[in-house]
Amino acid sequence: MTSPPEPPAVLRMREVRDRALFDLDDGAVTPSNRAELKAVADLLNVLLASMVVSSLQYEQHALLARGPSHRTVAEFLYGCADRDRAGARLLATRIVQLGFTADHDPRHLPARSRITFQTFQDGDLTGIVTQDLVGARILIQSLQEAVRWVGAGDPTTRRLLERLLEDKEAQAAELSAGLRNPERAHP
């Protein structure tokens, strides 16, 4: 009778412990992370800027959706702004976990953001919803490409990006529905 095969080296207790003790200053980043961390942090800072600009645009657009008949649109846009701010916080936290600085400097946001901030006249719901849908779709494309690029090199970052992508896709679906009838129902 043959003995069972040995576990892979990465799962052997002593080797796992030795690898965990290596470079303790790296925090959550262990030697098994195969991603180019600087490139990942740069990518996350681009997405962070895009989420911050998107949240500011949603906030501005919510303020422009005035009147009782537009209340549900405004509430939806405020909710989108809140979700984008939460997403930006998650991205910033991950950048710090990787050992880099999350760049919130307002002077750098427009250059890094994939979203172009645009405002409208009060009550131009079609313009507002269209612009927000375009912004959501830009972020969807950016997040999809980021997920593919990160791949298996950094599973934690990939899962974070997938969660943000799922939320953006839901926002886009609601915005698209609202675009078909912006006066009656919230996006």
Side-chain angles (χ1 to χ4, degrees), residues 85-107:
R85 274 192 296 278
R89 279 191 297 275
L90 292 171
L91 289 166
T93 299
R94 184 62 184 156
I95 292 166
V96 171
Q97 287 173 345
L98 294 174
F100 298 92
T101 301
D103 187 356
H104 287 90
D105 189 332
R107 294 172 297 177

Side-chain angles (χ1 to χ4, degrees), residues 38-173:
K38 173 74 170 107
V40 171
D42 289 345
L43 169 70
L44 295 180
N45 265 312
V46 166
L47 294 170
L48 169 66
S50 300
M51 295 291 275
V52 169
V53 170
S54 178
S55 74
L56 293 171
Q57 182 167 261
Y58 277 129
E59 187 89 18
Q60 176 71 28
H61 291 172
L63 291 168
L64 296 175
R66 297 182 189 196
S69 64
H70 301 159
R71 183 172 308 168
T72 57
V73 173
E75 288 172 2
F76 173 76
L77 296 176
Y78 281 130
C80 289
D82 291 343
R83 287 196 305 275
D84 280 2
R85 274 192 296 278
R89 279 191 297 275
L90 292 171
L91 289 166
T93 299
R94 184 62 184 156
I95 292 166
V96 171
Q97 287 173 345
L98 294 174
F100 298 92
T101 301
D103 187 356
H104 287 90
D105 189 332
R107 294 172 297 177
H108 303 156
L109 291 176
R112 283 195 332 271
S113 174
R114 299 302 177 249
I115 306 297
T116 303
F117 188 94
Q118 185 175 348
T119 191
F120 295 88
Q121 296 294 321
D122 286 358
D124 181 4
L125 288 185
T126 301
I128 288 170
V129 173
T130 300
Q131 177 63 20
D132 290 334
L133 178 57
V134 168
R137 289 173 54 87
I138 289 169
L139 273 165
I140 288 168
Q141 290 178 62
S142 300
L143 288 163
Q144 287 171 339
E145 290 301 318
V147 166
R148 281 191 275 279
W149 181 78
V150 169
D154 183 351
T156 303
T157 298
R158 185 191 70 243
R159 285 191 311 273
L160 168 61
L161 296 172
E162 288 169 343
R163 285 193 311 270
L164 295 174
L165 175 59
E166 185 178 347
D167 186 52
K168 271 292 151 191
E169 288 175 343
Q171 283 180 15

